[in-house]
Structure formats: structure tokens, C-alpha cells
């Protein structure tokens, strides 16, 4: 029996595996492989220094306490649809944006689904079929809560908390998820469209756009039952842009490597929510259209 199985051998998956693997049994899951394989993980962790260790990659989920999903939001369905998921396994969904939980709920019971927001920065240095090398670029935190807003954490959360501090339990995780969504709605498309680092958004020419976006996002969040003050949102977005000034956002990276972006789960999620409530959402609509135009050039 493993403690944790992780789907998504990328920057976040590698970071989680390296920290959890210090105290627990961990493996990666990749439903595309036919036979179990082995992988060496090398991580420069900001809290634990250099970590190197071997990890099994399995084609299906073994008995485990947690299945952690950290793939791109639009890859969730493909990553889990052929897996044999035990009803006793807790699922922790740690993806950018919102809305991909619908894909998980097609396969698992809602009382097993937990949602997480991660603010650690991590970048893949090197990835091959047998080596994953990750740089931990920003010390963040992980917020976890139940999809169905249960008040207390499951007993199995303690093992994750011990290996991955700081990890906080939230009886209502949607506040934390929305805050991360707003950060992604502002930083990701603007850095992708302007092909710049996050810190560039602190320049005066972006301030009116950021302010308008935060006002619009705070109004849409309210329609979803989440109260977020727009001035506070703006200062949080600026703070994240400052703290990650030298990073390229994941959407800037997706566009520059000609990959499909997560726009449908970030600004696109906000636009569809606004539509449901017949609310105006022109700044987010414009960003979705512009990012989709860029994607069209190579898809
Ligand atoms: O989460 C991010 C992303 O790039 O997806 C931010 C917080 C914007 C950091 O780059």
C-alpha cells in the first residue's frame, strides 16, 4: 500500500513527490505506459536543499491513501478516465483555474474529492522518460478543503501536512481557490499576450487594466457566493507579480512553446459563470478571445 500516488510528473508533481517521498511511500501514475517503470527525481528544494531519489511509475493506481492530480486543467479527464479508482482513495485535485473538478466527479464520489490551491513556484529543468529535474523557485503554501465543504479534515491529511508544510485545512476552500483564480486571471493572459515576465505587469501602463479586471472579477466572485474586495485583489495581484517578478507565467510558457493553454479554466471559467448569471464580463471576454486567437495560429 502506498501513501500517495501522483498523476502529473511535471514541476508541481516533482516537487510534491520529492517532499512526500522523504517520509512516505510515493509513486507516479501514467496511464499511457504499459509496464511499470522507474524515474530519478532531482529537486533543488528551497526548504530541504538538494533531493535525489528513485520513484516507481505505475500504469494504474495501486491501493493508496491519496491520489494527487496535478496535470494541466484540460488534461484531467484524459489522465484519469482509464484508471481503476478504488472508492477508498481520497482524490486531491491541485490544478490551475476552476471547473476541472467536474471531470473528476464523473469517476469518483463527491465525498472523496478534495481541492487544493498551491502557491509554491517550481520549474522543470530537465525531463526525459527516466529523469525529472525540478527547481523550487518560490516558497509558497498549500490550501486544502473538501469539495463538499466538510468542516473537518480527513485523518489521512496529517501525513500530507507533516511532509508538505505549510499545508492549511479550510472548511470553505472556495475563497482560497477564487483568490488564486483572480491572480491567474490577471497575470497569466497579460504576460502571455505581451510575452513578458510577471514583474513587467508592475509597470504603469498595466495598472488601469489590472484595476478594471479586479473590479470585474470581484463582481463575478460575488455571484458565486464569494466576497472579495477589489482593492485587496489588486494589491494581492501586484504582490504576486512582485514576488514572482523574474518568472514567466505558465500561460506565457504555454503560448511560447505552442501548447494548448488553460484559458478555458481561468478567464473562460469566469466568463461562463457570468453568462449563467446574465452578467457583463467584457474584460475577461476580451482576454479569452485574444488568447484563443494566439492558440489558433498553431493549433
Ligand atoms: O500560478 C501562476 C502561473 O504562472 O500559473 C503564477 C502565480 C501567475 C506564477 O507565475
Amino acid at each position: 500500500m502506498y501513501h500517495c500516488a501522483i498523476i502529473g510528473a511535471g514541476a508541481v508533481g516533482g516537487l510534491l513527490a520529492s517532499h512526500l517521498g522523504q517520509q512516505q511511500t510515493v509513486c507516479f501514475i501514467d496511464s499511457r505506459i504499459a509496464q511499470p517503470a522507474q524515474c530519478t527525481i532531482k529537486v533543488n528544494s528551497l526548504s530541504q536543499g538538494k533531493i535525489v531519489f528513485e520513484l516507481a511509475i505505475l500504469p494504474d493506481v495501486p491501493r493508496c491513501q491519496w491520489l494527487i492530480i496535478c496535470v494541466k486543467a484540460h488534461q484531467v479527464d484524459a489522465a484519469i478516465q482509464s484508471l481503476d479508482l478504488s472508492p477508498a482513495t481520497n482524490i486531491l485535485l491541485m490544478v490551475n483555474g476552476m471547473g476541472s473538478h467536474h471531470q473528476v466527479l464523473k469517476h469518483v464520489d463527491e465525498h472523496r474529492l478534495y481541492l487544493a490551491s498551491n502557491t509554491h513556484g517550481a520549474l522543470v529543468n530537465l525531463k526525459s522518460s527516466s529523469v525529472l529535474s525540478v527547481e523550487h523557485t518560490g516558497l509558497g503554501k498549500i490550501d486544502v478543503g473538501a469539495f463538499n465543504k466538510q468542516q473537518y479534515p480527513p485523518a489521512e491529511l496529517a501525513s500530507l501536512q507533516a511532509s508538505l508544510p505549510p499545508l492549511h485545512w479550510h472548511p470553505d476552500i472556495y475563497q482560497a481557490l477564487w483568490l488564486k483564480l483572480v491572480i491567474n486571471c490577471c497575470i497569466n493572459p497579460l504576460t502571455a499576450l505581451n510575452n513578458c515576465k510577471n514583474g513587467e505587469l508592475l509597470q504603469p501602463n498595466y495598472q488601469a487594466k489590472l484595476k478594471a479586471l479586479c473590479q470585474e472579477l470581484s463582481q463575478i466572485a460575488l455571484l458565486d457566493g464569494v466576497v472579495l474586495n477589489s482593492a485587496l485583489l489588486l494589491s494581492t495581484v501586484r504582490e504576486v507579480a512582485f514576488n514572482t517578478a523574474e518568472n514567466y507565467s505558465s500561460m506565457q510558457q504555454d503560448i511560447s512553446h505552442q501548447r494548448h493553454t488553460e484559458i478555458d479554466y481561468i478567464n473562460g471559467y469566469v466568463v461562463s459563470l457570468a453568462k449563467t448569471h446574465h452578467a457583463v464580463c467584457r474584460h475577461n471576454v476580451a482576454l479569452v478571445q485574444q488568447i484563443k486567437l494566439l492558440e489558433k495560429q498553431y493549433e
Side-chain angles (χ1 to χ4, degrees):
M1 164 118 174
Y2 282 85
H3 283 109
C4 294
I6 299 175
I7 305 182
V12 175
L15 185 68
L16 296 181
S18 66
H19 283 240
L20 290 167
Q22 304 299 299
Q23 302 179 21
Q24 314 204 23
T25 44
V26 184
C27 62
F28 276 136
I29 306 297
D30 187 342
S31 60
R32 295 165 302 182
I33 59 170
Q35 297 293 330
Q38 200 73 11
C39 156
T40 305
I41 304 197
K42 300 177 181 177
V43 175
N44 279 329
S45 158
L46 288 173
S47 56
Q48 301 196 14
K50 226 180 182 73
I51 307 173
V52 180
F53 76 107
E54 296 286 309
L55 204 75
I57 312 175
L58 306 179
D60 208 342
V61 186
R63 276 188 60 218
C64 58
Q65 289 184 343
W66 288 99
L67 174 64
I68 306 178
I69 303 174
C70 40
V71 295
K72 293 272 182 191
H74 52 85
Q75 294 167 342
V76 170
D77 202 23
I80 62 170
Q81 63 183 352
S82 65
L83 298 178
D84 186 14
L85 296 172
S86 149
T89 301
N90 294 310
I91 313 283
L92 184 60
L93 185 63
M94 192 181 293
V95 295
N96 261 347
M98 276 166 84
S100 52
H101 61 267
H102 293 301
Q103 300 171 31
V104 182
L105 289 173
K106 287 196 265 173
H107 309 278
V108 300
D109 223 55
E110 68 160 65
H111 74 277
R112 285 286 175 199
L113 177 58
Y114 297 87
L115 307 174
S117 163
N118 161 49
T119 60
H120 285 281
L123 283 176
V124 172
N125 282 333
L126 177 99
K127 185 173 170 166
S128 71
S129 56
S130 57
V131 177
L132 173 64
S133 163
V134 171
E135 190 73 35
H136 188 187
T137 53
L139 202 53
K141 65 182 170 79
I142 296 175
D143 294 294
V144 178
F147 167 75
N148 64 5
K149 298 193 188 176
Q150 80 195 30
Q151 184 78 15
Y152 298 106
E156 301 88 16
L157 194 76
S159 57
L160 296 189
Q161 262 165 333
S163 320
L164 286 172
L167 185 151
H168 304 290
W169 173 259
H170 293 261
D172 182 354
I173 186 65
Y174 294 93
Q175 189 84 19
L177 290 175
W178 253 100
L179 191 57
K180 178 85 196 305
L181 182 69
V182 168
I183 293 165
N184 288 138
C185 280
C186 294
I187 296 182
N188 293 27
L190 289 178
T191 50
L193 292 168
N194 297 288
N195 193 21
C196 65
K197 289 182 174 174
N198 295 354
E200 184 73 19
L201 302 185
L202 297 167
Q203 295 302 318
N205 51 321
Y206 289 105
Q207 300 322 301
K209 174 60 93 191
L210 288 177
K211 188 173 175 193
L213 266 169
C214 287
Q215 278 169 349
E216 189 169 278
L217 287 160
S218 118
Q219 284 160 11
I220 310 293
L222 201 56
L223 299 175
D224 204 23
V226 175
V227 181
L228 293 169
N229 175 283
S230 69
L232 213 65
L233 287 181
L234 183 57
S235 64
T236 307
V237 169
R238 286 203 191 119
E239 195 182 307
V240 175
F242 180 79
N243 290 338
T244 60
E246 284 306 308
N247 286 13
Y248 285 106
S249 78
S250 53
M251 199 173 286
Q252 187 281 341
Q253 290 286 288
D254 286 340
I255 291 287
S256 71
H257 291 100
Q258 307 206 328
R259 294 187 297 242
H260 193 67
T261 72
E262 296 178 295
I263 194 74
D264 286 337
Y265 296 86
I266 299 180
N267 307 77
Y269 174 82
V270 172
V271 169
S272 57
L273 197 66
K275 258 192 202 145
T276 314
H277 292 275
H278 308 289
V280 180
C281 187
R282 67 185 180 90
H283 295 287
N284 283 282
V285 167
L287 290 177
V288 172
Q289 285 169 347
Q290 289 166 51
I291 291 293
K292 284 191 180 282
L293 266 181
L294 285 185
E295 282 180 333
K296 251 201 188 141
Q297 289 173 8
Y298 53 80
E299 282 188 343

